[in-house]
Amino acid sequence: MKKILIIHHGTGLGGGLIALLGIIDELKEKFEVEVFAVFDSVAVDYLKDKGIKVIVSKSKFYKKHYSLFVHSDASYFNVIEGLLNLKSLITFLLSKYYFSVKELRLFSKNKDLIYLNSTFLSDWAYAAKKLNIKTLIHVREPLSYGKTKIRYNIIRNTIKKNCDQIVAITKDNANRVNLFYKTEIIYDPVVLNRRDEKLDILIDNNTKYFIYLGGEYRIKGFEQLVNSLPFIDENIKIFFLGGKVIYSSNFIKQLLRRIFDPYFNRIKDLKIKLNASDKIIDIGMTDNVFYFYKKSIALICPFSKPHAALPILEAFSLKVPVIASDVVGMAEFVNENNGLTFLNGNSQSLAYQINQMAKMPRELYDNLVFGSYETYSVLRKKQRSITFIINELLHEFY
């Protein structure tokens, strides 16, 4: 049986990690799968809790100095991020040409394929190439061109020279990397396991429920959602799922944030407004998201930056329409047949579409319900499986 080593950055609980579980479940039917995590975090604990074998880097370099070389349009840029990016570029190059090779020599013995689960782990592709191991990279992020294209070209050229196969989770992500001769578009899997338990939550038949899963994260549209609340009709409630933004308690870091990060100065007020609103049912972090999908008439995805969201596919699989911002790439999923879109940056536009969905005539709403599942079915039919792609890459068919 062929052996796959999945390299995961090991940070964050979100759609990408959930999708990884689904990918591992698929791959385990054909291959021996092991996960190597660059960082130790709650993401590693989550994977282990699901029965996944995870090895964590013990290198002092990765524990104390290394930071991911993130260059994505699904992020915001300010002075602090600029300084952090300079550091991450330096550690990216150190990792690429020395430390990743050293680490992989320890953990890649007898492995047939290195599976990089993020665009920003491309430094590890160089090491895999040097050790003569086939490499697949999963483009989960909308790679940014930037003003000078310097960082873009560093990442893209590393992928071009060292990765044998690219899997992109959207057409937009694939277009940005622009290496179509070795790129396959495969949408993330919908993972049901242990995410659909019945809960004892009182539901009012006269209330229209919606679901939002972005927590307090700016790119997920937290600010737009909070600012839309005063304009939302009285008979509407929103299940608020997701994590809290927690900044460092270090005085110097907080001072720098206060000076250079405008969002830092707004998020305290946004949290207060959220907690004071009678439109919000604050659920917080939970794995049991499918219960809330089924109680909701629509999913709210108010992304403020280009984004691909597993929740959209999850909602469509359950015949739940979506309200989304008109960010770049969103038309690939959400259109007039399966949901509503609003003008990004305009919270009143978001509130208007929420209200429209809540009072939509039954026939029109049923059309969106039908269209949501039809969209999901079409997206699934168009793609090959990751297992098929890896089989092909490893010449396992013959």
Side-chain angles (χ1 to χ4, degrees):
M1 184 178 282
K2 298 288 186 179
K3 297 180 179 180
I4 296 175
L5 179 66
I6 296 176
I7 299 182
H8 179 56
H9 46 65
T11 61
L13 296 175
L17 188 63
I18 298 297
L20 179 59
L21 282 178
I23 291 166
I24 291 173
D25 285 342
E26 176 191 330
L27 294 178
K28 282 185 349 187
E29 296 182 8
K30 177 70 178 180
F31 308 102
E32 286 186 25
V33 180
E34 195 170 70
V35 176
F36 171 81
V38 180
F39 302 110
D40 195 0
S41 72
V42 290
V44 172
D45 296 334
Y46 183 87
L47 288 171
K48 288 181 176 178
D49 183 58
K50 301 296 182 181
I52 308 299
K53 183 178 180 182
V54 185
I55 303 167
V56 180
S57 173
K58 293 181 172 55
S59 165
K60 288 183 180 179
F61 170 75
Y62 290 106
K63 282 185 176 181
K64 295 184 177 181
H65 305 294
Y66 180 74
S67 59
L68 294 175
F69 186 38
V70 175
H71 190 49
S72 166
D73 270 345
S75 61
Y76 283 90
F77 184 83
N78 55 47
V79 174
I80 293 175
E81 272 64 43
L83 295 173
L84 292 175
N85 273 326
L86 179 59
K87 177 197 172 187
S88 67
L89 172 58
I90 294 169
T91 62
F92 173 90
L93 295 173
L94 289 171
S95 172
K96 176 178 176 179
Y97 292 112
Y98 180 73
F99 288 101
S100 64
V101 180
K102 186 178 178 181
E103 283 287 280
L104 271 191
R105 286 191 196 279
L106 299 174
F107 300 112
S108 64
K109 188 177 180 180
N110 300 323
K111 297 297 187 295
D112 300 286
L113 180 92
I114 300 297
Y115 188 124
L116 304 174
N117 193 49
S118 170
T119 313
F120 308 120
L121 291 168
S122 59
D123 44 335
W124 295 80
Y126 175 87
K129 185 81 168 181
K130 193 171 182 66
L131 296 173
N132 199 31
I133 305 173
K134 292 280 188 181
T135 307
L136 179 151
I137 191 164
H138 211 137
V139 179
R140 309 203 61 83
E141 306 85 1
L143 190 59
S144 178
Y145 297 108
K147 292 183 178 179
T148 63
K149 276 196 168 185
I150 293 174
R151 288 181 292 165
Y152 169 83
N153 285 325
I154 289 172
I155 294 172
R156 182 183 181 274
N157 289 338
T158 301
I159 293 172
K160 180 180 180 180
K161 292 178 181 179
N162 301 293
C163 294
D164 301 284
Q165 179 69 46
I166 300 167
V167 171
I169 64 171
T170 69
K171 292 177 184 176
D172 181 51
N173 286 6
N175 290 338
R176 291 165 185 266
V177 178
N178 194 26
L179 296 169
F180 298 108
Y181 64 94
K182 58 179 176 180
T183 299
E184 191 93 14
I185 297 166
I186 301 179
Y187 299 106
D188 278 337
V190 170
V191 180
L192 291 167
N193 188 28
R194 293 171 62 181
R195 303 180 71 218
D196 191 21
E197 298 174 6
K198 187 175 181 180
L199 298 176
D200 187 21
I201 293 180
L202 185 63
I203 299 297
D204 181 0
N205 292 330
N206 296 318
T207 299
K208 301 289 186 178
Y209 293 92
F210 292 76
I211 177 174
Y212 163 85
L213 290 98
E216 295 177 352
Y217 297 97
R218 189 181 182 188
I219 65 168
K220 304 289 188 180
F222 174 64
E223 187 169 22
Q224 301 201 103
L225 178 70
V226 172
N227 288 334
S228 75
L229 296 177
F231 307 102
I232 293 175
D233 291 342
E234 290 299 321
N235 66 328
I236 292 171
K237 300 283 187 184
I238 300 170
F239 295 120
F240 184 91
L241 281 68
K244 310 293 184 185
V245 171
I246 301 175
Y247 290 107
S248 170
S249 58
N250 180 279
F251 174 77
I252 299 298
K253 290 182 179 179
Q254 288 221 2
L255 181 62
L256 289 173
R257 285 279 181 193
R258 195 169 298 281
I259 296 171
F260 296 114
D261 184 355
Y263 188 61
F264 179 85
N265 298 314
R266 296 198 300 271
I267 194 169
K268 183 177 179 180
D269 288 337
L270 292 172
K271 288 172 183 267
I272 292 172
K273 290 178 182 178
L274 181 83
N275 293 332
S277 175
D278 61 353
K279 307 293 194 311
I280 294 295
I281 302 173
D282 192 355
I283 305 299
M285 291 292 292
T286 179
D287 228 7
N288 192 25
V289 298
F290 282 83
Y291 172 86
F292 298 101
Y293 283 128
K294 292 176 181 178
K295 299 298 180 184
S296 303
I297 67 168
L299 166 70
I300 302 173
C301 290
F303 310 128
S304 58
K305 288 285 187 174
H307 212 68
L310 178 58
I312 291 177
L313 294 175
E314 291 175 340
F316 284 169
S317 75
L318 294 173
K319 302 180 181 179
V320 176
V322 173
I323 298 173
S325 58
D326 60 350
V327 293
V328 173
M330 191 48 58
E332 185 175 343
F333 300 97
V334 182
N335 54 52
E336 67 276 4
N337 297 318
N338 55 39
L340 302 173
T341 57
F342 72 94
L343 182 63
N344 185 36
N346 189 326
S347 295
Q348 290 190 44
S349 174
L350 170 58
Y352 176 81
Q353 295 295 53
I354 293 172
N355 293 337
Q356 287 297 104
M357 184 74 77
K359 60 190 178 186
M360 186 176 287
R362 187 71 204 187
E363 183 180 355
L364 293 180
Y365 177 75
D366 286 345
N367 288 338
L368 295 182
V369 168
F370 175 81
S372 62
Y373 190 75
E374 184 178 46
T375 300
Y376 177 76
S377 300
V378 169
L379 291 174
R380 285 287 178 239
K381 285 178 183 178
K382 285 183 177 180
Q383 67 184 38
R384 301 191 294 173
S385 70
I386 287 182
T387 297
F388 185 95
I389 301 301
I390 293 177
N391 272 332
E392 197 172 59
L393 188 61
L394 298 177
H395 309 293
E396 279 292 278
F397 281 142
Y398 306 102

